[in-house]
Every structure is written in structure tokens, then in C-alpha cells.
Amino acid sequence: MKKTISILLMIIVLWLMSVCSSAIDISRLPLVPNRNCDYMQIEKNINLKANLVINESDILVIPKGKKIVLNGNNSITVNGKLYIEHGGNLIVNSGTLILNKGATVLSNGSINIRDNGTLKMLPNANFTVLPEGILLLDGQLDADLKTSNIECLGNYVGQHQGVKAEIISAVSFVTTAYNEKLEGFASYERDAAQNLFPKEILINKSQKRPIGGVITTVRFFCSNGQILEVVLYGSLSGYNSVLMNGIIFIK
């Protein structure tokens, strides 16, 4: 009897080990070595054969010309941040892209969630496709638009309501960085608000926020009811750094 119990316990332990070993973090991916970066960038195309977890403190970048492909019953779980550059690709042939609370997916590239794929978003997760980005969402969408922030400002192909959006207005607040004193306030109609949205931005390698000066916070109101808040370090005409969904860019 004791021998049988021991064998069963060993089987359970081995099973648990196999489950845990099937999930990897981004340190197991082929990454571009760069000591001056506070984010990780993939070095070559990746065909995932295991579950991938992007931890809360991680920023993973899919650069131009590179792609991550998800197959099988595997998943990509985002607890931190995933950014896709213009010309980069994330393809979910099957499996699930999961955004947990506070997680961010921000794309200037292409995201393709095919028929057998699923996009799952928990409350307070952020999924934004920028104006130059593309979203093909033929698969399942498991998200509550009232509790999660999801908008495609770029080209959208899919049947799910409420994903495609455009900027319809905006409000800006200008404050001084050292005491957060309100220095100015303005509102913008559709055309002015769309022209106000940052263009030609690149990810900031250091991910360090500037100190001092003026901070301009702009809330962009989208046609699907979502609000996208962007922080500009500087004035509207003279900013050089942009904070969007927790990722810092340079102009």
C-alpha cells in the first residue's frame, strides 16, 4: 500500500514538473543583447512550442521584420508589457493571448488572431493598436469593454463590435513637474484631436522618465467609449518623450 502511494506521489510530482516546465519566461527567448536597454527585444522569428509568460516587470518588444507565432493549445500570458513595432508581427494561429490585470499590449505593427485563436482580457488590461497598426481578429474575443481598455485606431478586420475606434475628441492638462500645479487646460474637437495624437515615435531604450519641466497629459476619447491617456514630457509643440500605456517613447 505504501509503495502504491509513493508511486502515485511520484507520478503527481512528475506531472506538476512537466506542467511547470511547459511555461517559459522571456529570458528563454532569443533576445538581442543590449546593456543600455530596459526592455527586451527578440533577435529572430519565434515559433512558440510552450506557454510564454511576460512578467509584470518585463517589456518585450517585437521589432520590425520579426514575428512571434503561437500554435497548439499554448498561450502567451502578459502580466507586464508587450510592444510591437511597425513592421513587427504577432500571429496567434491557435491558443490564447491573455492580458491580466494591469497588463499592456501596444502595437504599431500587425496582430493576427486567426479562427482558432483567442484574445482574453481581464479587467483593467490595456490593448491598443495605434493608427499605423493592423489588427486581424477572426478568432474569439473574451473581454468586457466596460472594464478593459481595448481599441484599434488602425486598420481592423474582424466581426467583433466595439474594437474598431477612432479619436473623436481630446482634453489636455498642462502641469509643472515639480509640484503638479495646473498651468493650462484645453479641449479639442475630432480633427484637432486626431492631429494631436503623437506621430513617428520610437521606444525609449532607457525607459527613464524625464525630471522637471512641463508635463502635458492628453486624454483621447474614442468612438467606442474608451479613453487613451498619453503623457507628453514638455509642451504640446515641444515635447520629446511620450508615456503611453506604461511604455516610454521618444519623439
Side-chain angles (χ1 to χ4, degrees):
M1 181 66 176
K2 289 182 178 180
K3 185 176 181 180
T4 302
I5 293 174
S6 297
I7 293 172
L8 287 173
L9 287 172
M10 184 176 294
I11 291 172
I12 292 171
V13 169
L14 290 173
W15 177 79
L16 287 172
M17 290 176 63
S18 68
V19 170
C20 293
S21 65
S22 67
I24 61 173
D25 61 26
I26 65 173
S27 66
R28 300 277 297 277
L29 301 178
L31 302 171
V32 177
N34 193 328
R35 294 180 181 178
N36 298 320
C37 279
D38 285 342
Y39 63 83
M40 300 295 182
Q41 177 176 301
I42 64 170
E43 187 175 24
K44 60 184 180 180
N45 295 337
I46 297 172
N47 193 346
L48 280 175
K49 299 180 180 178
N51 298 322
L52 174 66
V53 177
I54 300 174
N55 292 320
E56 189 174 350
S57 59
D58 291 335
I59 301 175
L60 179 64
V61 175
I62 303 176
K64 179 180 180 180
K66 300 296 186 294
K67 63 183 177 182
I68 292 180
V69 181
L70 181 65
N71 293 299
N73 293 319
N74 296 314
S75 63
I76 299 174
T77 300
V78 184
N79 297 310
K81 300 172 181 64
L82 173 64
Y83 174 60
I84 305 164
E85 288 185 346
H86 185 63
N89 290 270
L90 173 63
I91 302 170
V92 180
N93 284 326
S94 59
T96 307
L97 173 62
I98 304 168
L99 279 69
N100 283 328
K101 180 180 178 181
T104 286
V105 170
L106 186 60
S107 177
N108 223 1
S110 176
I111 299 177
N112 188 346
I113 300 175
R114 294 180 173 159
D115 291 343
N116 295 320
T118 299
L119 170 60
K120 180 177 181 179
M121 295 181 58
L122 274 66
N124 299 314
N126 301 288
F127 183 98
T128 302
V129 177
L130 299 173
E132 289 189 336
I134 301 171
L135 174 61
L136 289 81
L137 183 49
D138 292 325
Q140 181 180 348
L141 175 62
D142 183 1
D144 184 347
L145 296 179
K146 293 184 294 184
T147 60
S148 295
N149 186 35
I150 177 171
E151 62 271 316
C152 177
L153 302 176
N155 186 19
Y156 174 65
V157 178
Q159 301 299 318
H160 299 283
Q161 299 295 317
V163 175
K164 174 60 180 174
E166 64 174 356
I167 295 169
I168 58 174
S169 63
V171 176
S172 67
F173 305 87
V174 179
T175 58
T176 50
Y178 66 92
N179 62 5
E180 298 184 356
K181 180 182 177 181
L182 182 64
E183 300 289 345
F185 165 90
S187 60
Y188 309 85
E189 299 298 329
R190 182 189 302 263
D191 291 345
Q194 292 178 359
N195 290 331
L196 197 62
F197 196 84
K199 298 176 178 64
E200 298 181 11
I201 55 176
L202 299 171
I203 191 166
N204 185 340
K205 290 185 177 181
S206 70
Q207 288 296 296
K208 297 294 189 297
R209 303 185 187 190
I211 299 174
V214 172
I215 295 176
T216 305
T217 301
V218 186
R219 291 177 185 157
F220 292 94
F221 299 91
C222 300
S223 57
N224 64 349
Q226 306 292 344
I227 299 173
L228 180 60
E229 185 170 282
V230 176
V231 178
L232 310 175
Y233 292 94
S235 65
L236 285 173
S237 60
Y239 65 90
N240 53 22
S241 291
V242 180
L243 175 65
M244 192 182 309
N245 282 8
I247 302 175
I248 301 176
F249 300 89
I250 55 175
K251 190 176 179 182

